[in-house]
Amino acid sequence: MKKITYLSIFATGALAAAMGISLVSGQSPVAPPSNQEAFVNAAESTINGVVSVKSYATPRQQQYMGNGGGFFDDPFFEYFFGGPRQQPRQQQQPRESEQRQIGLGSGVIISADGYIVTNNHVIADAERLEVTLNDNRNYNATVIGADPTTDLALIKIDAPNLHVIPMGNSEDLHVGEWVLAVGNPFGFTSTVTSGIVSAKARNISSATQSMSAGNIESYIQTDAALNSGNSGGALVNLNGELVGINAAIYSKTGTYAGCSFAIPTSIVKKVTDDLRQYGTVQRALLGISFRELTPEFIKEKDIKGVNAGIYVASVADRSAAREAGLEEGDVIVELNGTPATTTAQVQEAIAKCSPGETIAITFFRDGKKMHKNAVLRNDQGNTDIRRPGSITDLGCAFSKAPKETLSQLQLSHGVQVKGLQDGRMKDAGIRDGFIILSVNGARISSPEEIEKIYDSIIKSADQDKVLFIKGIYPTGKQAFYAVPLVD
């Protein structure tokens, strides 16, 4: 079975032996001799702008790796983490307080004062991040923000005068154009491979049915050789400009087989600018569910005037699409004057925008070509600036329920609400001392599990961000609460 492999390494010790991987990479294309100087110049100008990113966590955290939702949990997708899906449980677990290296990926310096872009799956659930520059200097990094929806993250190190790879425009790329990939495959630093752009606006997961759910995928496909450890590394053109962040390969074996994928800078720039300015992405939504046209579907629906496009299956209430007058059965063919006939093209066009921006829509209705403008909105149906949520917004602390209380109530687990103050928990009706048994159907045994669920919901693309809490008071009274996380 073919699978998508995300290119972080999750292993320790003897890397190749532990992961059971062959150190034989696929053959990269040979550059035309006339372009050799351009290749050399591009490589020399970029290798100092790519870093190694190591992630560390205590063993108790490793059970969460790869459970971020979206296409990363799809059985057809697989991380290169060597996490619990791939490694047997050891008989002796290390001490919980002892951090271990659990991941290795790459990152790209985008500002001289230390901002670095990488993949979200490289840094997800890490307790500590360590960045190594090409000259072997090491720094601890802090996470500025992360966006699982696009699989991008922005981190920062405290270092001056860093080498920056200039941001290029991925929309200017052409199929057949030469590109270089720079990263740390198998832990080998400053590795450069070459290839051509094989395709643009490629969607590699199962078909997306709605713009408001799932992940945004509009990849640049290349045949530059990538392997585990390349995640978060640079895809550059022959001018030495960043045009993408390498993220995945398509392979039967989990190693390079000729199809590599990078997130285009059209999306990278928007996401990193938002994370840097607001701490969270200001994501715009059109407010439709849709499917791509196929010959069979065109015949089934008797669609006239167009052979390729996005069929509007439904229009959400209080959405930009409804305000603009889109209707079920419309077929979108362009957004802001660029083709939008595939899921990936629609996702990329919307992902570049912010709530409040106007997007021009060209579509067919009953065989007639029409044009409308829509003012895009956020997931709450307005154009307000969104700020990242914090678990402190709940207005309480959490601690493991006392053993004597659990024994009295004949419970095996639970987390107690302490120090209740004004906040979302109090607004929902929860009182001090309440023992939380489950959140959104997940059994709760520690405060860290509540924080994990909270962070996952806040970072998700779901419009309805709610904690559904089931629990019991020390008196034995059971209760259920819904705690909204957004206003």
Side-chain angles (χ1 to χ4, degrees):
M1 179 182 293
K2 298 181 179 67
K3 59 186 177 182
I4 303 301
T5 299
Y6 295 89
L7 303 169
S8 293
I9 297 173
F10 266 71
T12 56
L15 188 59
M19 296 186 65
I21 53 178
S22 168
L23 296 182
V24 179
S25 297
Q27 295 296 316
S28 297
V30 177
S34 60
N35 283 355
Q36 182 171 340
E37 185 176 351
F39 277 68
V40 171
N41 291 338
E44 289 180 345
S45 68
T46 56
I47 56 173
N48 289 320
V50 177
V51 302
S52 169
V53 181
K54 298 176 183 177
S55 58
Y56 295 83
T58 51
R60 61 182 171 80
Q61 292 283 5
Q62 293 187 36
Q63 61 183 307
Y64 299 123
M65 300 308 298
N67 292 329
F71 58 73
F72 295 121
D73 284 336
D74 192 302
F76 292 100
F77 296 85
E78 184 177 331
Y79 280 121
F80 228 124
F81 288 165
R85 295 180 183 174
Q86 299 172 358
Q87 291 181 345
R89 180 183 293 272
Q90 298 179 355
Q91 295 298 319
Q92 287 187 328
Q93 292 292 336
R95 294 187 303 272
E96 286 194 358
S97 60
E98 183 181 354
Q99 287 187 340
R100 297 293 181 93
Q101 182 182 337
I102 58 170
L104 172 64
S106 304
V108 179
I109 300 171
I110 58 172
S111 74
D113 58 347
Y115 285 93
I116 295 167
V117 62
T118 185
N119 288 136
N120 176 69
H121 73 260
V122 170
I123 60 94
D125 298 300
E127 295 176 343
R128 182 170 66 88
L129 294 172
E130 182 181 285
V131 168
T132 303
L133 305 184
N134 193 43
D135 60 8
N136 288 327
R137 285 182 291 167
N138 279 341
Y139 297 90
N140 286 328
T142 57
V143 177
I144 302 302
D147 183 41
T149 303
T150 54
D151 192 24
L152 290 169
L154 184 66
I155 63 177
K156 190 178 187 304
I157 60 175
D158 187 14
N161 303 319
L162 297 176
H163 182 85
V164 177
I165 298 180
M167 190 78 70
N169 187 354
S170 58
E171 295 182 353
D172 292 339
L173 279 177
H174 298 283
V175 174
E177 183 175 341
W178 284 93
V179 287
L180 302 181
V182 188
N184 305 293
F186 306 126
F188 297 122
T189 59
S190 306
T191 297
V192 181
T193 56
S194 67
I196 62 169
V197 176
S198 305
K200 295 176 65 178
R202 182 75 80 194
N203 186 292
I204 59 176
S205 72
S206 56
T208 300
Q209 297 300 319
S210 172
M211 283 297 294
S212 63
N215 290 270
I216 294 172
E217 296 181 51
S218 184
Y219 292 107
I220 301 167
Q221 181 183 333
T222 76
D223 61 353
L226 300 182
N227 280 292
S228 53
N230 273 114
S231 269
L235 186 74
V236 300
N237 59 24
L238 293 190
N239 294 323
E241 298 170 329
L242 184 71
V243 292
I245 297 296
N246 296 316
I249 58 176
Y250 189 57
S251 170
K252 293 181 179 180
T253 63
T255 53
Y256 173 73
C259 293
S260 304
F261 299 92
I263 303 166
T265 52
S266 59
I267 294 176
V268 173
K269 188 177 188 308
K270 155 70 176 171
V271 170
T272 54
D273 285 350
D274 280 358
L275 292 177
R276 186 169 180 176
Q277 184 172 357
Y278 305 109
T280 190
V281 178
Q282 306 301 308
R283 179 152 290 118
L285 300 174
L286 182 56
I288 61 172
S289 62
F290 60 86
R291 61 171 295 174
E292 296 178 15
L293 292 187
T294 63
E296 296 78 14
F297 191 71
I298 291 173
K299 183 178 180 180
E300 175 189 336
K301 294 293 186 179
D302 192 26
I303 295 172
K304 296 180 174 60
V306 61
N307 294 318
I310 293 295
Y311 180 85
V312 178
S314 65
V315 180
D317 292 340
R318 299 178 62 240
S319 67
R322 183 168 294 280
E323 182 184 43
L326 287 182
E327 299 176 2
E328 179 181 343
D330 291 343
V331 179
I332 297 172
V333 293
E334 288 184 0
L335 292 173
N336 278 345
T338 61
T341 58
T342 68
T343 297
Q345 288 175 335
V346 171
Q347 288 185 325
E348 184 172 351
I350 302 296
K352 295 184 297 184
C353 299
S354 295
E357 292 185 25
T358 299
I359 191 167
I361 307 169
T362 302
F363 62 97
F364 282 80
R365 179 181 294 171
D366 298 327
K368 297 179 180 179
K369 194 173 186 178
M370 304 180 69
H371 305 273
K372 288 188 179 293
N373 292 328
V375 179
L376 298 172
R377 303 182 182 184
N378 60 29
D379 59 5
Q380 297 304 301
N382 57 53
T383 60
D384 296 342
I385 296 295
R386 301 293 302 276
R387 300 290 177 180
S390 168
I391 198 166
T392 58
D393 295 341
L394 297 179
C396 66
F398 303 102
S399 65
K400 286 189 176 182
K403 290 182 179 179
E404 54 271 21
T405 303
L406 293 178
S407 177
Q408 180 182 353
L409 296 172
Q410 300 182 28
L411 298 172
S412 61
H413 64 97
V415 170
Q416 196 163 35
V417 174
K418 295 285 190 180
L420 190 66
Q421 300 176 352
D422 290 341
R424 298 190 183 278
M425 297 285 274
K426 186 176 181 180
D427 292 342
I430 294 175
R431 300 193 300 273
D432 219 19
F434 181 65
I435 298 172
I436 298 173
L437 301 178
S438 69
V439 176
N440 291 11
R443 172 189 169 111
I444 297 298
S445 298
S446 69
E448 291 80 11
E449 291 172 345
I450 296 177
E451 293 180 15
K452 173 72 178 180
I453 294 172
Y454 177 92
D455 288 342
S456 177
I457 293 173
I458 287 294
K459 293 176 181 178
S460 74
D462 294 338
Q463 294 187 33
D464 300 323
K465 301 181 189 298
V466 182
L467 295 178
F468 293 104
I469 298 176
K470 174 183 177 181
I472 190 171
Y473 285 96
T475 60
K477 179 184 177 181
Q478 294 187 2
F480 302 84
Y481 297 98
V483 182
L485 302 184
V486 293
D487 297 322

